[in-house]
Amino acid sequence: MPATDPGAPTDPATAPRPAGTTTPAGRGRAGGRPPAVLLMSATLAALFALLPLGYLAVRSLERGPAFARDVIATERTAQLLGHSLMLAAVVVAACLLLGVSLAWLTVRTDLPGARAWSVLTTLPLAVPSYVAAFTWLSALPDLAGFGGAALALTLVSFPYVYLPVAAALRGTDPAQEEVSRSLGHGALRTFLRVTLPQLRPAAAGGAVLVALYVFSDFGAVSLMRYDTFTRGIYTSYRAGFDRTPAAALSVVLVVATIALVAAEARTRGRAGHARTGTGTVRPAPPVPLGRWRVPALACCGAVCAVAVVTPLATLGYWLAVGNSATWDPATLSDTALTTLGVAAGGAALTTLLALPVGVLAARHRGRTAHLLEQAAYAGHALPGITVALSLVFFAVRYAEPLYQELPLLICAYAVLFLPVSVAATRAAVLQSPPVLEDVARSLGRGPLQVLREVTVPLAAPGVAAGAALTFVVCMKELPATLVLRPTGMDTLATRLWTETGTGSFAAAAPYAAALILLAAVPSYILGRHRT
Amino acid sequence: MRRPLARRLTAIFAAALLLPAVAACGVDEDDAGLVIYSGRNEKLVKPLLDELEKAVGTTVAVRYGESAELAAQIQEEGGKTKAGLFFSQDAGALGALSGKGLLEKLPQGSLDKVDPAFRGGAGDWVGTSGRVRVLAYNPGQVSTVPDSVHDLVKPEWKGKIGYVPTNASFQAFVTGMRVLEGEDATRAWLKGLKANEPKVYDNNLKVLEGVGKGEVSLGLVNHYYWYEQVAEKGEDKVKSKIHFLRGGDPGGLVNTAGVGIVKGSDQAAAARKAVDFLLSEKAQKYFAEDTKEYPLAAGVTSTVKDLPPLASLDAPKIDLGKLESLQETLKMLQDVGMV
């Protein structure tokens, strides 16, 4: 039985609110109970996401709880966890700062070349963390350690914050800001007091993704030689040839993730910000930057220089020093097509699974919805190898024909990246006015019809953005792809791994460049598409 | 503006979702007579495995990955494994699978081609090529090269040593030292080395470059990196030299890449042919000439210039299967603060 929404009648967000232009998107309404279809499909998605946990339970306990406890209860575990948390905190803070300020600059001001900047600021997402770390290390070898890891991870993950915040800025009603400005508040004050609070759900969602990305990253921390929890788990697989200690350590990471997601949900706040006024969506008039124009441009330029130009320049260097023998256009184009195919499949399945979870999380704040959302996040912080081995475990037992076939690889992408899509969907649904759903319902539409005709179309741009984002992260996924791909199949990421494995960076450069160029396409569409 | 985009994306994604399912139906799966899980890099062994396919006389499919991760995967697959043959970068991963009873006993004829020192104690894996730990040095900075790794803890080498503590070969060497000289001696040596403030590099090639440039005077590497550099750049351009540590010194450990037949795959017949091919003269010459490793099958010697015969190295005697006890090594390296 689905839990009723306990927060509904006394929800603080139903208290009087300013200007009457926002409604609490998270409030329950008549009945408060989510439609069964939504609950069932969300449950399915959650179960899917919980597969790695089932596997971890089996593996970590195979030699009894005492063994698992001995593995976990060491000083080193605490130290590794501390490292991961510290790194995540620093990277999240930096990403919030970069993401929110760049989003505001590119969406809301008269920044010259705003569209180009919005595409450029999305591009770093296409750079795999190991490529970013490598390019920095090859330029500045002394960067290794905490600082280097934090830098590399910030530069590849700030778009996780930038994208949802930029989308939110495009979708919010400018009326409140105009009221604020008309009352004599300056641009900064208006931004801090009016705009920023509206961005909180989007920014918080992005921040959680960044934190989970840091938790699960192996490439950057490994090259930067900074010991995090994931690195400990990988080392345990590699050095011990033994799955039990690695599984036991992974459980700790899952617990940390759940705590993190729960904390985010708690601080998320209940206020949603949706327009309810009449008329069509009206873009906010750009804020004139005036004498801040040059510093703002310099700031965007600096970020793009370190996040985009540095890796590209290094790749250009590799391409230049490589001889023609390293070019294999046929393999390159085959691999690129395969990559596009599996990434599109991964993004499609992930989006489908995330949709019910995201809608539930945004519209039905019951305990059930809450648990389902947390379940969707549970596997995300796990290293790719753990998720991959869990799918090996289940597939050889219950779905052997699918093992090492494309559908299973695509399922792995869905398990790994479900939260990326859930966060985008939730933010998008939160921004569409629930009143419209109430109206549709009052006109006699059933829950499914409301979902199909009102909720999903309104949230579509945000959901599409989430899909594009998932597409990009699937393209650069490495460890799970190595384990689960059909034998003989290669993606750009696995080719990149093969070429760099023998130290031939020149031969790897075309694949890295193709990866970044292809991932730039969805980035370009996202950056250009403005409602 | 928003709905057409959303619709178009929906259509694209719906098609994308169906595509793999359709593609999967079209694939003639598993008509490969032999599936090899290769922990050795595609760049290094693909030409050889193409030859192997001809020799075995059946379709061969190769899955490339990291040795340790493939070993974990084979364990997870258990009796339903798709792998017929596991081609590992090092003896440790083979030792681990052997210890779990996941490898099949090899025919005595195959085993006998290789010195017992380079095959599994249970007769279920065999080394295919050898890689020797050596000291790289800068001739401009070092007049007398140490003959033992134990000399590296002397104060005169402070700040002059380059190494890769995260490298699997380095860790295998430390494991070898643990097996040869015991835990306490190894821990003491690691502490001594650490106290000498060695410079950490990303990989063996970087160590060689560092030695060549004089950033450090000595480096702990595998022998073939140097020969590869020489083959690539010419001997006059390579500024480092290498020194083999003889007399059973743990620093002169010979580790092997090797193969084992995976139990439960019904590809054993083809896998046995593959093992024999890898120990054939043709394949052994490939290792000698193309990857600059040591051939291990009796009767084949390396033709690489200046590479001393394996028998002359007087390498430390060690059961390579025991190199799987890497977990303890790692713990020690962590305790000392090297990784």
Side-chain angles (χ1 to χ4, degrees):
Chain A
M1 278 298 288
T4 48
D5 193 339
T10 53
D11 193 314
T14 53
R17 50 191 181 271
T21 51
T22 58
T23 30
R27 90 198 143 106
R29 64 187 71 72
R33 184 173 294 179
V37 163
L38 210 55
L39 262 183
M40 272 165 55
S41 42
T43 308
L44 186 78
L47 286 177
F48 202 61
L50 287 174
L51 281 182
L53 267 62
Y55 165 80
L56 288 179
V58 172
R59 279 288 162 255
S60 58
L61 293 175
E62 70 183 339
R63 274 183 243 162
F67 181 87
R69 204 169 45 236
D70 285 350
V71 170
I72 294 172
T74 61
E75 203 177 305
R76 183 162 167 77
T77 304
Q79 186 197 18
L80 288 177
L81 198 59
H83 280 189
S84 280
L85 289 173
M86 200 161 74
L87 189 62
V90 169
V91 173
V92 164
C95 285
L96 280 174
L97 190 69
L98 278 181
V100 174
S101 53
L102 286 171
W104 185 76
L105 279 174
T106 52
V107 175
R108 280 301 181 78
T109 68
D110 62 349
L111 184 78
R115 284 190 174 190
W117 289 121
S118 62
V119 173
L120 280 172
T121 38
T122 318
L123 260 184
L125 204 61
V127 183
S129 72
Y130 43 91
V131 173
F134 180 83
T135 51
W136 281 100
L137 269 183
S138 61
L140 305 163
D142 290 337
L143 209 58
F146 179 83
L151 177 76
L153 286 170
T154 301
L155 292 180
V156 297
S157 53
F158 77 84
Y160 279 117
V161 174
Y162 171 81
L163 279 175
V165 171
L169 275 171
R170 279 180 207 125
T172 46
D173 192 338
Q176 288 184 74
E177 288 162 34
E178 286 160 10
V179 170
S180 165
R181 298 297 294 266
S182 74
L183 290 173
H185 296 314
L188 183 67
R189 199 175 156 84
T190 299
F191 177 77
L192 290 178
R193 299 281 302 271
V194 180
T195 317
L196 204 55
Q198 297 190 46
L199 301 177
R200 211 163 75 173
V208 167
L209 291 181
V210 172
L212 296 183
Y213 184 83
V214 174
F215 275 1
S216 68
D217 176 74
F218 172 70
V221 293
S222 169
L223 281 170
M224 290 293 182
R225 296 191 296 276
Y226 184 68
D227 249 340
T228 60
F229 215 77
T230 305
R231 196 166 173 226
I233 292 169
Y234 261 94
T235 322
S236 186
Y237 277 120
R238 286 190 178 166
F241 306 110
D242 187 357
R243 301 152 297 163
T244 312
L249 286 176
S250 303
V251 171
V252 180
L253 206 51
V254 172
V255 173
T257 310
I258 292 172
L260 182 82
V261 175
E264 188 264 337
R266 196 170 277 263
T267 60
R268 191 187 279 162
R270 298 207 157 226
H273 293 270
R275 266 181 73 257
T276 53
T278 52
T280 52
V281 177
R282 175 173 57 90
V287 175
L289 283 171
R291 63 198 162 88
W292 289 102
R293 221 170 141 100
V294 173
L297 271 176
C299 174
C300 291
V303 173
C304 291
V306 289
V308 182
V309 179
T310 312
L312 282 180
T314 315
L315 285 179
Y317 169 77
W318 288 344
L319 283 172
V321 298
N323 54 43
S324 55
T326 60
W327 276 94
D328 184 355
T331 314
L332 183 64
S333 64
D334 275 3
T335 315
L337 277 177
T338 310
T339 310
L340 289 177
V342 292
L349 181 63
T350 313
T351 307
L352 263 183
L353 288 173
L355 203 55
V357 184
V359 172
L360 266 184
R363 284 290 188 256
H364 305 275
R365 285 283 173 81
R367 181 167 295 161
T368 314
H370 197 64
L371 280 177
L372 287 174
E373 192 193 2
Q374 285 185 344
Y377 278 83
H380 191 53
L382 290 173
I385 179 76
T386 308
V387 173
L389 288 178
S390 74
L391 287 177
V392 172
F393 176 87
F394 284 104
V396 296
R397 279 171 182 71
Y398 310 112
E400 211 193 336
L402 284 185
Y403 180 53
Q404 287 183 5
E405 296 296 341
L406 281 179
L408 192 71
L409 178 62
I410 286 170
C411 290
Y413 288 150
V415 175
L416 281 166
F417 303 125
L418 194 59
V420 175
S421 193
V422 167
T425 307
R426 191 181 65 81
V429 175
L430 271 180
Q431 279 218 327
S432 54
V435 154
L436 296 183
E437 288 164 27
D438 293 344
V439 170
R441 214 178 302 249
S442 73
L443 291 173
R445 299 287 195 277
L448 250 190
Q449 269 178 308
V450 174
L451 195 64
R452 206 175 57 226
E453 293 171 9
V454 181
T455 316
V456 170
L458 281 176
V463 175
L469 200 60
T470 317
F471 180 79
V472 175
V473 291
C474 286
M475 279 182 70
K476 56 180 188 170
E477 204 286 332
L478 180 61
T481 311
L482 274 179
V483 172
L484 294 172
R485 68 195 159 141
T487 300
M489 191 199 95
D490 265 318
T491 63
L492 291 168
T494 63
R495 288 306 316 171
L496 197 58
W497 167 81
T498 303
E499 305 288 351
T500 49
T502 50
S504 38
F505 297 111
Y511 296 98
L515 188 56
I516 294 180
L517 284 179
L518 286 178
V521 176
S523 310
Y524 176 72
I525 293 173
L526 282 174
R528 216 181 61 119
H529 183 73
R530 301 174 147 216
T531 48
Chain B
M1 190 58 197
R2 46 160 62 160
R3 296 195 59 172
L5 175 86
R7 271 201 197 138
R8 226 176 309 144
L9 282 175
T10 313
I12 291 170
F13 282 134
L17 202 58
L18 287 175
L19 183 87
V22 174
C25 295
V27 173
D28 282 331
E29 57 177 79
D30 298 339
D31 66 344
L34 175 64
V35 178
I36 301 178
Y37 279 17
S38 173
R40 306 218 58 189
N41 194 287
E42 182 173 353
K43 288 294 192 196
L44 293 177
V45 298
K46 182 159 192 304
L48 180 69
L49 296 184
D50 288 345
E51 289 289 322
L52 180 142
E53 184 165 34
K54 283 183 216 153
V56 173
T58 176
T59 354
V60 172
V62 190
R63 211 178 160 73
Y64 294 97
E66 303 270 357
S67 294
E69 283 159 27
L70 288 171
Q73 190 169 353
I74 290 170
Q75 289 181 50
E76 212 55 85
E77 291 170 345
K80 293 189 177 165
T81 185
K82 298 217 170 194
L85 189 74
F86 178 39
F87 190 6
S88 175
Q89 176 93 1
D90 60 75
L94 286 161
L97 289 187
S98 167
K100 295 256 168 28
L102 290 168
L103 298 178
E104 234 166 61
K105 181 135 178 49
L106 292 168
Q108 198 59 39
S110 309
L111 290 170
D112 285 345
K113 287 184 186 163
V114 174
D115 187 295
F118 304 122
R119 59 196 204 209
D124 54 3
W125 65 264
V126 64
T128 49
S129 59
R131 27 189 57 198
V132 182
R133 297 289 298 172
V134 294
L135 278 186
Y137 64 97
N138 185 315
Q141 297 179 347
V142 180
S143 47
T144 333
V145 194
D147 270 322
S148 166
V149 281
H150 288 293
D151 292 341
L152 301 184
V153 299
K154 289 180 181 163
E156 62 199 269
W157 298 113
K158 187 157 191 162
K160 293 182 179 168
I161 302 166
Y163 79 141
V164 193
T166 50
N167 178 263
S169 294
F170 173 78
Q171 293 176 358
F173 142 69
V174 177
T175 310
M177 188 186 249
R178 279 182 39 239
V179 174
L180 289 164
E181 302 184 347
E183 306 289 322
D184 295 343
T186 307
R187 188 181 296 267
W189 181 79
L190 285 173
K191 281 185 180 156
L193 185 65
K194 175 85 182 166
N196 256 352
E197 295 165 16
K199 189 166 159 58
V200 173
Y201 287 87
D202 284 342
N203 56 49
N204 282 300
L205 280 174
K206 292 258 172 74
V207 174
L208 278 181
E209 280 169 16
V211 172
K213 282 188 237 163
E215 290 169 7
V216 287
S217 309
L218 289 175
L220 291 161
V221 292
N222 286 351
H223 79 279
Y224 50 89
Y225 291 100
W226 187 82
Y227 286 97
E228 272 169 20
Q229 271 211 328
V230 168
E232 200 176 301
K233 297 182 174 173
E235 190 157 1
D236 50 326
K237 295 244 173 60
V238 177
K239 302 294 180 205
S240 58
K241 300 265 179 238
I242 53 172
H243 179 67
F244 289 83
L245 300 168
R246 293 184 160 83
D249 190 83
L253 180 79
V254 182
N255 200 346
T256 67
V259 284
I261 296 175
V262 183
K263 252 187 203 165
S265 71
D266 72 15
Q267 305 164 25
R272 278 194 287 270
K273 279 191 202 165
V275 173
D276 283 335
F277 171 77
L278 289 172
L279 297 173
S280 71
E281 184 168 350
K282 185 173 197 176
Q284 292 289 303
K285 280 217 147 67
Y286 176 88
F287 291 127
E289 283 157 22
D290 289 75
T291 64
K292 313 288 191 284
E293 295 166 289
Y294 275 100
L296 291 179
V300 188
T301 46
S302 179
T303 48
V304 173
K305 190 172 158 277
D306 295 339
L307 188 60
L310 194 53
S312 76
L313 290 183
D314 193 12
K317 304 277 178 288
I318 179 174
D319 177 359
L320 288 177
K322 286 199 178 150
L323 293 185
E324 70 147 324
S325 66
L326 212 54
Q327 194 77 47
E328 287 82 358
T329 301
L330 206 78
K331 179 140 195 333
M332 203 179 269
L333 291 172
Q334 284 159 0
D335 291 346
V336 176
M338 282 182 165
V339 294

